[in-house]
Amino acid sequence: MAAVTIPPSSPTQSRKKSNIVTGISQDLLSRKLSSSNLHLAGPPKFDLESYIQNYKGRTRLERLLLIGSCSSFLGVDAYKAAVHEAKHGKDIKRYLEAQTPLETIAPQEPEAVRDTQWMDQQSKLNEIQTASLEKQLKEYKNNLVKESIRMGNEDLGKHYQEIGDLPKAFEAYSRMRADAASQKHIIEVSKHLIEVSIEQRNWIGVTSNVQKIKQIQATPDEERSLQPYLCTADGLALMDSGGYYSAALAFLRTDAGMGSSYNTFISPNDVAVYGGLCALASMERSELNRSVLENSNFRTYLELEPNIRRAITFFVNSRYTACLNILESYYSDYLLDIHLQKHVDQLYQLIRSKSIVQYFIPFSCVTLSSLNEAFAAPGKTVDKELVQMIQRKELDARIDTQNRVLTSVSSSSRATLHNEALKTAKEYEREARRRIQHMNIVSADLELKGGKARGSQMGQMGGMDDLFSEGMGGGRELRSRAYIG
Amino acid sequence: MDSLLPQLLAFPPHPSPQPPLSDSAYDEGIKAQISTLRKSSEKTLRQQTSGGESPLDVINPALNTVPYTFILIAYMSAYSKHGQKVIKLESLWDKITIYLETFDARQMRYLGPEFIDVCDRAASISTNAGQRALCIAPIRDALLRLNPSGSVLTGLHIYLIKYALETRSYGVIAPIVEKPVLYYPGANDQLKPKYLCDLSLSPAAYITINSGFLSKLKSLDIMEYFYNSGMIMIGLRRWEDALDCLESVITYPAKEGAVSKVMIEAYKKWALVSILAEGKLLTLPKTTSSSAAKSYHVLAKPYEAVAQIFETGTASRLKAECDYSSSLWQKDSNLGLILQILNAYQRFQIRNLGKVYSKISIPELLNLTMSAETGNKLSGPNEMEALIRNMIQDGSLMATLSNPPGQPAVLAFDNKGPILTEAQMKAEFAAAAARISRVTQNIKQTDHMLTHEKEYIAHMKKQKASMSKFGTHDQGIGGEMDWNVMDDEELMTGVY
């Protein structure tokens, strides 16, 4: 099995340890990843060249930079590729981001030398183009031709996006909406905005624009071509907010045959990985089987990532250890993905605890050693993790440290119900008493008075209002409130 | 005196006739007797019998409560004027206590002012003798005999509880404190029972301002009473009951968002007690007013911080927090509770481990828990074992401790809690049902009182007038409106 290539075979503890060895502190892992500090030493399973071939546009650069900053194995290559990529574009900031680290990690490479000439030239060029596009737009506005204004804004937006000024690009694209004449235009506006928002990690922007497109009554043809786009964009946004179940549903809904049409932000492989991991982390076994493995649409994506399919199959077949091993072996790959990086730890944690819970379900009592065998790395134990899971109420069980077993909690429903009933009765009694107490205090005119003295008549009324505004039950009280009100 | 005696003992007839006197005859007889006695001078009442006996020795307070009361008052007043020349303190005190423990509660209903007088004098006699604690038990019993449900708050309650606090007689006063107070002077004046002697009356009907048992109280008195009850319960370590008492203060109804200092102090105590009772800060009762809640959160910040650390923080942090604000605790006189909390921390930790482990050895426990009193682990397994034994003994930990030979002791948690037998369960349910039906009685009584409020009646009148006016304009709704329609609040506000 492929899992053997990377040493930490599964548990979180051991993985964290290996991370410490490679210089990552724990809190970095806890989702506050500032990518520049993360370093993965091991070789990932993918080939950089073919990986980046999957994408088009600015996301290529972004992905290369992330890999460069996070992987010491691929770092130099990724930065070098990024430098080339950047020089084909117009974004000087990105060029510097790619070139500067090279100065320190690989100063001997030709790409490490800062090409100031290109930078000057390009920045002048950018300025000129910005000015001319703005001017053009102004002229269009003077002529009051809607279509030209729209096109002008679009051109400007594209330009800003290319030079890396995303807020301005977002603004320019947003302005297009005012002059959108047809449904096609509206869809275009939203698509532009979604793309910019994804790069800005502005997920609210993504969701709202996805909603806007959904509201449009498109032709069946258009709808078919838009469906995967909307699902994947929605899925990304949901995944980022931590709604893994909804994200999984969004990815799983994605129609087959998306191809490389949306490779400015997502590739079909990504759909398989994101959808698969989110589903694994949030769905029960039967649901996984039904909506992932037997989902003919999603199967076309899963075929691109056989490891995910294998992991899910193992999980469905209750072979949790095998499933976790596969995932573990791809851990570093997923850490190099721009969207997954933030979530991979949490997703893995969820999958792990779910596996333990599922493993435990058929038993009333399991020895800790068998759990260790299934879930812990050699020489490690799952004890601490179990304690945490029980405390988080994910696992309804108790640990017996003497006989080293985990026992499930047998509940006596009759006694529980009786106790509940007694508790409810007691609460009712207490509550009712307090209400009576309050009513009588108020009717004896004994309530606490504020500093300001009011007329006696007003005071009386205020008192009554207080009494009733506390939400006394009972018909009579409500009635009298109605009279007073 | 000899001439007076037959007259005094004429009522109630003894032995009681068959059939017993009707309520109206009883009412008439006792009223006549009281009016005669109220006219007699103290001197006449103190006359000795021809045999040289004191009338207090002749009359049985349990049968002839009315004359006995007047004679006792006469003696007490003479004692306060002339001292022991008239009557020896010991014998007077004996008479008072016997009287308070045996009087006839039915006759006493007519003797409101006299009853209060006796109690007040008894209290002052014991105070002057430097034995204030002694008057608490007799007055408590008297109050409970007069008012078995304890639901009406009297002036006696208020000073009695202060005495109890002063003299630390927490256990003595507890029977009074644990009775829920529902009625206050002034609230139940609408209840004008035809005959006070009617045995089916609830205490709220005969303990009123009109009958002389009650005098007007201030809101502060009532809050103080509940606050003091809370203190008594804290003194007895009955945390649940203490919470209940303090909640009466923190939810005290207020006008115009007023908040009293007593309420704030009560909240501070309530917060600490809720930690001791439940291990965390409870949510405020639903009836708390929003302005009060706001002030609580602002003014009792350090207390809430303690609660939060207790729930989620470590022992050393809790200790540090408590040490840091120690002058504040002292100022608020809550240091005792804070020390209790520090002591309780490890116990709660151990109990919480019962939610994770089913069996665990003492050395493991030692490693997993820390004492907040020292901010460190306990010094050794023996100390831990002692703590565990202590907890099991006082019932706060459901577990068994076993000592396998040659190995450290093992604690097995019993997660199911106490399992009641079917019969016990049944009894519990019956008790709960009885309590709730009593509450329902109280609700009916309160409802009755509220519908006889002057304001409510005035509104009803106005309502009816405007209804009939509407009736002439609107053909749809008749002058007599159906109650069911009136129940609809929205419709009513719409009409207005």
Side-chain angles (χ1 to χ4, degrees):
Chain A
M1 194 187 295
V4 196
T5 42
I6 284 186
S9 74
S10 96
T12 7
Q13 289 99 327
S14 66
R15 177 166 72 231
K16 277 181 182 149
K17 187 132 194 196
S18 77
N19 287 335
I20 293 162
V21 172
T22 47
I24 314 169
S25 63
Q26 291 263 353
D27 56 336
L28 272 176
L29 268 175
S30 59
R31 270 153 288 292
K32 262 199 149 184
L33 288 176
S34 68
S35 46
S36 52
N37 290 339
L38 186 79
H39 282 289
L40 291 168
K45 292 206 181 317
F46 60 81
D47 176 52
L48 184 65
E49 198 111 329
S50 54
Y51 166 76
I52 209 69
Q53 290 281 287
N54 283 332
Y55 302 97
K56 212 169 64 191
R58 290 177 55 82
T59 190
R60 279 167 71 102
L61 197 48
E62 210 182 333
R63 284 167 195 267
L64 285 171
L65 287 175
L66 183 92
I67 295 171
S69 65
C70 294
S71 169
S72 49
F73 187 81
L74 288 175
V76 178
D77 286 343
Y79 277 129
K80 274 163 70 179
V83 169
H84 289 297
E85 184 76 28
K87 277 182 128 180
H88 285 111
K90 302 195 257 179
D91 191 343
I92 297 161
K93 221 164 66 213
R94 279 285 146 93
Y95 168 73
L96 284 176
E97 276 172 34
Q99 178 266 335
T100 321
L102 274 181
E103 283 178 3
T104 45
I105 60 170
Q108 73 285 2
E109 299 285 342
E111 285 86 352
V113 183
R114 189 170 289 182
D115 190 345
T116 40
Q117 197 193 343
W118 175 82
M119 280 167 61
D120 288 345
Q121 209 180 347
Q122 190 62 46
S123 75
K124 264 185 212 139
L125 219 63
N126 287 348
E127 270 170 43
I128 291 167
Q129 208 171 354
T130 311
S132 85
L133 282 169
E134 294 272 12
K135 194 170 149 236
Q136 212 176 356
L137 180 65
K138 210 169 261 172
E139 274 169 27
Y140 291 151
K141 275 186 181 162
N142 287 338
N143 293 340
L144 290 172
V145 181
K146 281 195 152 215
E147 180 59 13
S148 320
I149 301 176
R150 198 184 68 83
M151 304 261 283
N153 272 321
E154 183 167 22
D155 289 343
L156 194 61
K158 274 186 185 154
H159 171 69
Y160 277 133
Q161 199 180 354
E162 274 166 17
I163 65 170
D165 194 341
L166 297 175
K168 279 196 173 158
F170 192 87
E171 238 172 73
Y173 286 137
S174 302
R175 279 200 299 269
M176 284 170 70
R177 198 183 294 282
D179 304 301
S182 68
Q183 290 188 353
K184 195 167 155 263
H185 290 163
I186 298 175
I187 294 173
E188 254 171 41
V189 173
S190 290
K191 278 173 100 172
H192 279 309
L193 287 175
I194 289 174
E195 217 152 287
V196 178
S197 299
I198 289 178
E199 197 178 336
Q200 283 179 307
R201 304 284 183 271
N202 168 12
W203 300 110
I204 297 169
V206 176
T207 338
S208 68
N209 279 296
V210 167
Q211 284 307 324
K212 274 182 185 137
I213 299 184
K214 276 186 185 162
Q215 280 159 15
I216 292 168
Q217 299 266 315
T219 60
D221 260 359
E222 272 177 329
E223 225 156 61
R224 206 169 307 129
S225 73
L226 273 173
Q227 199 271 355
Y229 181 84
L230 295 179
C231 283
T232 48
D234 218 10
L236 277 180
L238 287 166
M239 185 169 85
D240 194 82
S241 65
Y244 298 127
Y245 183 68
S246 337
L249 290 181
F251 285 121
L252 291 175
R253 265 202 312 273
T254 313
D255 279 347
M258 163 178 114
S260 58
S261 33
Y262 310 123
N263 56 9
T264 48
F265 68 95
I266 198 165
S267 72
N269 298 55
D270 291 343
V271 174
V273 174
Y274 300 164
L277 287 183
C278 287
L280 257 181
S282 60
M283 287 179 181
E284 294 302 319
R285 271 169 51 205
S286 57
E287 192 178 6
L288 268 176
N289 195 27
R290 197 178 60 244
S291 52
V292 182
L293 295 180
E294 290 171 5
N295 178 339
S296 58
N297 275 334
F298 198 68
R299 194 179 301 148
T300 55
Y301 295 108
L302 269 186
E303 271 157 16
L304 297 169
E305 292 284 335
N307 51 314
I308 291 282
R309 200 194 65 214
R310 282 210 328 271
I312 296 176
T313 316
F314 280 137
F315 191 92
V316 170
N317 295 332
S318 309
R319 293 177 57 193
Y320 307 110
T321 320
C323 162
L324 291 176
N325 281 340
I326 295 179
L327 292 181
E328 203 52 49
S329 63
Y330 282 89
Y331 176 71
S332 51
D333 283 24
Y334 298 148
L335 266 187
L336 293 178
D337 183 279
I338 46 173
H339 297 302
L340 261 187
Q341 192 183 55
K342 264 181 12 183
H343 298 282
V344 95
D345 277 306
Q346 200 175 350
L347 285 170
Y348 273 41
Q349 184 55 46
L350 284 170
I351 297 171
R352 237 183 102 70
S353 26
K354 244 183 67 189
S355 308
I356 296 179
V357 173
Q358 295 279 344
Y359 181 92
F360 185 60
I361 283 177
F363 304 103
S364 67
C365 181
V366 173
T367 59
L368 289 180
S369 58
S370 68
L371 276 171
N372 281 334
E373 209 173 286
F375 294 103
K380 309 276 179 194
T381 62
V382 287
D383 292 15
K384 274 219 176 91
E385 205 179 348
L386 288 177
V387 170
Q388 281 168 4
M389 283 175 64
I390 295 172
Q391 275 168 349
R392 283 198 299 263
K393 301 214 162 70
E394 289 167 4
L395 194 62
D396 195 15
R398 299 283 181 272
I399 300 169
D400 178 348
T401 62
Q402 296 313 297
N403 307 319
R404 308 227 16 98
V405 289
L406 183 72
T407 48
S408 71
V409 180
S410 61
S411 62
S412 137
S413 49
R414 189 176 163 82
T416 326
L417 186 70
H418 280 175
N419 286 329
E420 277 302 305
L422 284 177
K423 222 174 102 194
T424 316
K426 209 169 157 191
E427 263 163 32
Y428 168 80
E429 195 192 327
R430 214 163 135 154
E431 181 81 19
R433 278 220 187 99
R434 180 129 306 131
R435 301 262 190 209
I436 298 174
Q437 215 176 57
H438 281 194
M439 277 190 252
N440 284 321
I441 289 177
V442 174
S443 82
D445 198 21
L446 276 171
E447 74 265 61
L448 188 67
K449 313 248 185 347
K452 271 184 282 173
R454 286 205 278 171
S456 64
Q457 181 61 24
M458 282 300 284
Q460 287 286 357
M461 297 292 271
M464 297 297 268
D465 281 351
D466 274 358
L467 169 63
F468 297 122
S469 66
E470 273 157 20
M472 301 286 180
R476 181 98 57 199
E477 287 75 57
L478 286 176
R479 258 179 257 143
S480 32
R481 168 157 61 156
Y483 302 142
I484 290 161
Chain B
M1 191 66 193
D2 287 338
S3 58
L4 200 60
L5 259 183
Q7 202 186 331
L8 292 181
L9 300 180
F11 189 86
H14 183 78
S16 45
Q18 284 302 332
L21 286 179
S22 71
D23 281 347
S24 70
Y26 192 100
D27 191 66
E28 208 175 302
I30 197 166
K31 274 184 177 159
Q33 192 187 24
I34 291 174
S35 70
T36 331
L37 280 162
R38 281 194 178 142
K39 274 181 247 155
S40 326
S41 73
E42 282 183 8
K43 230 178 179 145
T44 352
L45 288 172
R46 278 198 280 120
Q47 282 168 0
Q48 292 185 341
T49 55
S50 49
E53 284 169 308
S54 153
L56 288 180
D57 293 324
V58 178
I59 303 172
N60 182 352
L63 288 176
N64 297 94
T65 308
V66 177
Y68 198 93
T69 311
F70 283 94
I71 297 169
L72 187 63
I73 291 175
Y75 273 101
M76 286 165 102
S77 120
Y79 173 80
S80 66
K81 278 184 212 140
H82 313 293
Q84 305 218 22
K85 270 183 285 174
V86 191
I87 186 166
K88 287 267 173 278
L89 175 60
E90 290 81 26
S91 80
L92 178 64
W93 187 251
D94 276 352
K95 300 287 177 227
I96 295 172
T97 45
I98 291 171
Y99 165 78
L100 286 176
E101 273 155 27
T102 57
F103 67 78
D104 176 33
R106 194 177 181 198
Q107 294 177 43
M108 194 51 103
R109 294 182 189 185
Y110 289 87
L111 295 168
E114 286 77 17
F115 175 75
I116 301 291
D117 199 21
V118 172
C119 292
D120 285 350
R121 285 174 190 274
S124 75
I125 288 174
S126 69
T127 307
N128 290 338
Q131 299 274 342
R132 189 168 253 186
L134 284 182
C135 73
I136 299 172
I139 299 182
R140 171 201 71 191
D141 291 340
L143 264 177
L144 286 177
R145 280 160 53 71
L146 184 72
N147 177 12
S149 67
S151 58
V152 187
L153 188 72
T154 66
L156 291 177
H157 281 84
I158 287 169
Y159 70 72
L160 214 53
I161 204 162
K162 279 189 192 152
Y163 290 178
L165 266 184
E166 266 170 38
T167 57
R168 296 174 176 263
S169 335
Y170 305 142
V172 182
I173 195 78
I176 292 251
V177 173
E178 66 202 12
K179 297 271 187 312
V181 173
L182 298 176
Y183 305 102
Y184 304 87
N188 50 2
D189 279 347
Q190 293 79 31
L191 299 172
K192 292 198 178 87
K194 199 162 178 201
Y195 303 116
L196 281 177
C197 55
D198 182 354
L199 287 173
S200 64
L201 284 181
S202 87
Y206 58 81
I207 305 180
T208 59
I209 294 186
N210 292 336
S211 67
F213 283 104
L214 300 181
S215 47
K216 278 272 176 199
L217 292 175
K218 291 201 202 70
S219 53
L220 191 64
D221 293 329
I222 297 172
M223 278 192 274
E224 252 181 31
Y225 172 74
F226 286 126
Y227 182 76
N228 289 338
S229 339
M231 302 270 281
I232 299 268
M233 286 304 176
I234 290 172
L236 292 170
R237 292 163 173 256
R238 287 165 58 174
W239 310 131
E240 287 291 326
D241 294 312
L243 282 180
D244 202 26
C245 296
L246 292 171
E247 273 170 25
S248 295
V249 188
I250 59 183
T251 62
Y252 197 85
K255 268 185 202 170
E256 300 152 31
V259 183
S260 141
K261 181 144 170 49
V262 184
M263 291 164 77
I264 307 275
E265 294 304 314
Y267 176 75
K268 290 175 178 171
K269 289 220 178 340
W270 180 84
L272 296 182
V273 175
S274 81
I275 299 175
L276 287 169
E278 304 279 335
K280 61 180 184 203
L281 190 63
L282 298 169
T283 48
L284 280 167
K286 273 180 264 172
T287 36
T288 319
S289 76
S290 59
S291 58
K294 236 179 269 164
S295 329
Y296 296 155
H297 295 316
V298 173
L299 293 169
K301 263 261 144 58
Y303 291 86
E304 291 179 357
V306 168
Q308 212 212 332
I309 296 173
F310 189 93
E311 205 180 340
T312 55
T314 61
S316 47
R317 263 195 73 201
L318 185 64
K319 184 176 155 49
E321 179 75 23
C322 291
D323 288 349
Y324 177 76
S325 311
S326 63
S327 62
L328 175 76
W329 315 137
Q330 233 148 24
K331 204 186 92 214
D332 290 348
S333 45
N334 282 329
L335 190 62
L337 278 174
I338 290 283
L339 292 178
Q340 288 283 336
I341 284 176
L342 288 177
N343 180 267
Y345 179 78
Q346 192 164 23
R347 293 160 184 263
F348 268 94
Q349 274 195 318
I350 293 172
R351 270 161 61 182
N352 282 338
L353 285 179
K355 291 178 189 149
V356 177
Y357 297 96
S358 57
K359 259 187 194 169
I360 193 164
S361 72
I362 293 291
E364 281 171 304
L365 268 180
L366 196 61
N367 278 326
L368 285 170
T369 63
M370 298 244 267
S371 158
E373 281 169 319
T374 57
N376 265 316
K377 288 173 186 158
L378 290 184
S379 59
N382 289 339
E383 209 179 328
M384 179 51 94
E385 215 179 304
L387 176 66
I388 298 284
R389 281 183 197 287
N390 189 310
M391 284 176 70
I392 295 175
Q393 233 158 38
D394 69 18
S396 58
L397 182 69
M398 299 298 296
T400 45
L401 196 62
S402 54
N403 275 320
Q407 276 169 3
V410 174
L411 184 70
F413 291 101
D414 178 8
N415 288 309
K416 296 195 184 80
I419 294 178
L420 299 175
T421 62
E422 283 297 309
Q424 279 171 315
M425 212 38 153
K426 228 172 162 180
E428 288 270 343
F429 275 120
R435 281 200 305 273
I436 286 182
S437 70
R438 267 205 297 283
V439 171
T440 314
Q441 281 299 320
N442 290 325
I443 292 174
K444 278 190 190 144
Q445 175 119 42
T446 307
D447 199 41
H448 177 79
M449 276 157 32
L450 285 180
T451 44
H452 289 69
E453 279 276 334
K454 273 193 212 102
E455 288 105 43
Y456 180 77
I457 293 170
H459 270 287
M460 279 297 294
K461 269 190 199 154
K462 220 166 118 192
Q463 189 66 38
K464 213 163 181 185
S466 71
M467 267 302 138
S468 49
K469 223 192 294 165
F470 262 95
T472 54
H473 293 298
D474 189 339
Q475 296 89 351
I477 308 169
E480 275 300 311
M481 217 174 168
D482 188 16
W483 269 113
N484 293 332
V485 182
M486 285 191 164
D487 269 342
D488 195 337
E489 196 188 333
E490 273 177 22
L491 185 113
M492 295 309 301
T493 40
V495 170
Y496 253 79

